[in-house]
Amino acid sequence: MSKTSALLDWHQTERRRLIEKNLDLTENCLTGSIYEDPPLKALGSETFDLQLREYGWDWPSVAHTMIGRKRLANVRRLTESVIGTGVEGDFIETGVWRGGACIMIRAVLDAYCIKDRTVWLADSFEGLPPPDEEKYPADKGDKFHTYADLSVSMEQVKRNFEKYGLLDEQVKFLKGWFKDTLATAPIQKLALLRLDGDMYESTMDALTALYEKVSVGGYVIVDDYNVVEGCKKAVHDFLDSRNITPEIIEIDGVGVYWQVA
């Protein structure tokens, strides 16, 4: 091997090491693991527990995501995957809370110097809607709209992006209920669609408006698949209505994903 080839290999290895170190640090900050951020009292516990944070089983008091380390690592890995394989399209999360998963996506794009893709954040930024039990019986008795901690303003999410130096023209917001914003959003193609709307209605609205925009080889992630029955039912009602039978892959016992064929 020539000295030039050896130097190029060293630069490639070093670049990869620095990218990994940067994104690892971002993950640890976003989940609050790095400073052992205690959870909100809403779920009963008040002490930081690494295992709970690993699986997203608590609601952090300060951290910028509640999806846990495993689901956040999944977001990172699939973002890197579509970049590496050249799958076309933007990225969107429907239901963003404090913005952590989207900050992770934007951090990956930044690390790989990707300038031609957008990260879309769709949310009411006012919490979840009361269930429409007549139209969506699967949401009957849903209580998510009663949790004030789930309401995070768009201005706060933007400030969270700014803390990582990642708020720029590649980050765009769709404010409002999904039924009013997603169908008319100026999105042509998606490489990754992440659903975190909890309810049947929110999940179905997002799938109906956006699924056909996901490129072949792209991914769909469903955050609440195993813990919110209405969400799981919406996924299968949608897939069955279109005779789609993807290989659904478990992430952590809570979330799942599949690749669009």
Side-chain angles (χ1 to χ4, degrees):
M1 180 184 292
S2 69
K3 288 184 178 179
T4 300
S5 295
L7 184 60
L8 287 173
D9 285 346
W10 181 85
H11 277 297
Q12 287 283 70
T13 301
E14 186 65 4
R15 179 175 182 269
R16 183 64 202 174
R17 183 186 72 81
L18 292 174
I19 287 174
E20 290 287 333
K21 189 172 184 179
N22 173 32
L23 295 179
D24 286 348
L25 180 60
T26 301
E27 276 188 18
N28 287 330
C29 288
L30 286 169
T31 60
S33 302
I34 197 167
Y35 44 84
E36 299 187 350
D37 164 43
L40 293 169
K41 297 179 181 180
L43 298 187
S45 177
E46 298 181 36
T47 304
F48 176 81
D49 184 313
L50 183 60
Q51 184 175 20
L52 294 180
R53 196 60 53 90
E54 186 82 3
Y55 289 90
W57 290 338
D58 65 358
W59 291 0
S61 57
V62 176
H64 297 142
T65 183
M66 66 165 66
I67 67 177
R69 293 166 60 92
K70 287 185 178 293
R71 272 173 279 152
L72 189 63
N74 170 259
V75 171
R76 169 182 167 183
R77 182 174 66 83
L78 296 187
T79 301
E80 290 181 297
S81 174
V82 296
I83 291 171
T85 56
V87 176
E88 294 182 347
D90 292 337
F91 302 81
I92 189 169
E93 184 175 42
T94 60
V96 306
W97 199 48
R98 295 174 182 163
C102 292
I103 292 171
M104 185 78 253
I105 295 170
R106 183 66 191 91
V108 173
L109 296 182
D110 184 61
Y112 288 95
C113 301
I114 305 297
K115 304 295 186 182
D116 59 350
R117 302 196 194 219
T118 297
V119 182
W120 297 87
L121 290 82
D123 203 296
S124 71
F125 300 100
E126 297 177 1
L128 281 82
D132 184 344
E133 297 180 359
E134 183 175 340
K135 189 173 182 180
Y136 302 104
D139 284 334
K140 184 176 181 179
D142 186 280
K143 300 294 184 184
F144 285 117
H145 67 287
T146 67
Y147 290 104
D149 291 322
L150 297 180
S151 177
V152 181
S153 71
M154 186 168 67
E155 290 70 26
Q156 181 60 60
V157 175
K158 287 183 177 180
R159 286 196 293 273
N160 292 342
F161 269 85
E162 288 175 339
K163 291 172 184 177
Y164 296 85
L166 295 172
L167 182 65
D168 60 14
E169 69 281 354
Q170 286 179 253
V171 180
K172 296 183 179 179
F173 294 80
L174 298 170
K175 187 180 189 304
W177 304 123
F178 299 159
K179 63 183 179 180
D180 299 323
T181 62
L182 297 182
T184 58
I187 299 169
Q188 302 302 315
K189 292 183 180 180
L190 290 168
L192 188 147
L193 165 60
R194 189 174 195 281
L195 309 177
D196 197 357
D198 301 304
M199 305 168 69
Y200 181 102
E201 177 181 1
S202 302
T203 303
M204 183 61 78
D205 284 346
L207 285 169
T208 301
L210 299 173
Y211 191 85
E212 292 182 359
K213 296 185 178 184
V214 182
S215 298
V216 172
Y219 293 96
V220 177
I221 306 171
V222 186
D223 187 81
D224 306 293
Y225 181 87
N226 284 312
V227 293
V228 180
E229 188 58 37
C231 169
K232 185 174 186 177
K233 179 172 171 51
V235 168
H236 287 282
D237 283 353
F238 176 84
L239 294 175
D240 290 347
S241 71
R242 286 160 175 75
N243 295 314
I244 302 170
T245 55
E247 179 188 1
I248 296 177
I249 302 170
E250 292 283 341
I251 301 170
D252 61 350
V254 177
V256 300
Y257 73 97
W258 68 85
Q259 189 170 29
V260 174

